[in-house]
Amino acid sequence: SQQGEEDPQALSIQEGENATMNCSYKTSINNLQWYRQNSGRGLVHLILIRSNEREKHSGRLRVTLDTSKKSSSLLITASRAADTASYFCATGDGRANQAGTALIFGKGTTLSVSS
Amino acid sequence: DAGVIQSPRHEVTEMGQEVTLRCKPISGHNSLFWYRQTMMRGLELLIYFNNNVPIDDSGMPEDRFSAKMPNASFSTLKIQPSEPRDSAVYFCASSLADRVVGYTFGSGTRLTVV
């Protein structure tokens, strides 16, 4: 079963605009991760936010986490055509040991940035 | 590091045939994950290993699927016999088992069963 659900399923914007994608999840988490997938490629890790963090930045990426609402958002500022990809949130702490759980991914948001 | 290496990149096989997918994780990573991606079901976790030992295989859809990790640098996912509904992209990922860090994914194997 999948933990995270992204919204919207698809998003089309113009270069230079901001893109916001949302992720909702159902159970308690200790961290949430965002990944990007270009067409025909594997997923690439973008950013990890822990449950005691509310906001995190990495370059043009801004991630927020609201554990009370069980939701996260990924904001890409000043988007470029190269940002065209699918974006996934993942929950589960990711550790493969007895204390952890492997990552579970949502179905993703497909972002299209046109020039 | 060359990253996580999967082979083959594409596989087309006939229904009933055995299919073996291969994965070489990043050197030093001690956890390995197999995922399957389809349009209908998204990314599904099939099985994962810690220090070559399977930890959770509850995602393996049927007994036709099996996975092994004979050493720290190699894992296989086998489907025998294959069926058309197994058609999907299969991804391997690796990470550090005891740390909360991102996964490194391979480029995937696109399997088509006809």
Side-chain angles (χ1 to χ4, degrees):
Chain A
S1 63
Q2 286 170 331
Q3 166 77 302
E5 292 292 336
E6 292 88 346
D7 170 66
Q9 288 188 328
L11 180 61
S12 293
I13 59 175
Q14 298 285 321
E15 261 192 332
E17 295 180 338
N18 295 342
T20 300
M21 289 157 271
N22 303 297
C23 171
S24 59
Y25 56 92
K26 296 175 182 174
T27 61
S28 297
I29 60 170
N30 58 23
N31 78 87
L32 185 143
Q33 303 184 28
W34 285 90
Y35 288 76
R36 182 188 74 231
Q37 183 180 32
N38 290 89
S39 180
R41 308 294 295 273
L43 280 76
V44 174
H45 178 254
L46 294 177
I47 197 165
L48 181 155
I49 186 166
R50 298 179 186 272
S51 60
N52 61 354
E53 298 175 308
R54 291 295 168 261
E55 188 170 311
K56 203 163 183 179
H57 297 255
S58 176
R60 293 184 297 112
L61 304 181
R62 173 180 168 247
V63 169
T64 63
L65 179 64
D66 187 336
T67 54
S68 67
K69 295 182 179 178
K70 291 188 169 57
S71 68
S72 174
S73 67
L74 171 66
L75 169 68
I76 304 174
T77 59
S79 62
R80 306 166 182 168
D83 295 327
T84 294
S86 292
Y87 292 81
F88 297 85
C89 67
T91 56
D93 65 21
R95 293 175 295 170
N97 57 22
Q98 296 298 332
T101 57
L103 292 180
I104 302 298
F105 290 83
K107 289 192 175 180
T109 292
T110 299
L111 173 65
S112 177
V113 182
S114 54
S115 54
Chain B
D1 198 322
V4 175
I5 299 172
Q6 291 188 246
S7 64
R9 285 298 312 275
H10 303 274
E11 177 80 35
V12 180
T13 190
E14 292 186 347
M15 183 174 62
Q17 296 296 307
E18 177 180 296
V19 175
T20 299
L21 312 181
R22 298 173 176 79
C23 175
K24 176 180 168 56
I26 287 180
S27 177
H29 281 187
N30 58 352
S31 60
L32 184 140
F33 309 83
W34 283 100
Y35 288 86
R36 177 172 69 175
Q37 186 177 37
T38 61
M39 289 293 292
M40 287 293 294
R41 300 174 68 87
L43 265 165
E44 300 174 279
L45 174 66
L46 300 178
I47 185 172
Y48 61 97
F49 296 84
N50 179 353
N51 290 321
N52 314 335
V53 176
I55 300 300
D56 186 346
D57 65 354
S58 60
M60 297 285 261
E62 300 171 36
D63 291 345
R64 297 183 297 106
F65 286 70
S66 62
K68 294 181 180 179
M69 192 163 186
N71 57 61
S73 58
F74 184 65
S75 176
T76 60
L77 179 67
K78 185 177 295 186
I79 308 173
Q80 165 64 16
S82 58
E83 296 183 3
R85 59 191 166 129
D86 301 331
S87 297
V89 181
Y90 290 81
F91 288 103
C92 172
S94 70
S95 184
L96 296 168
D98 298 315
R99 293 183 59 189
V100 179
V101 293
Y103 292 178
T104 302
F105 279 77
S107 296
T109 294
R110 180 174 294 277
L111 173 66
T112 303
V113 183
V114 297

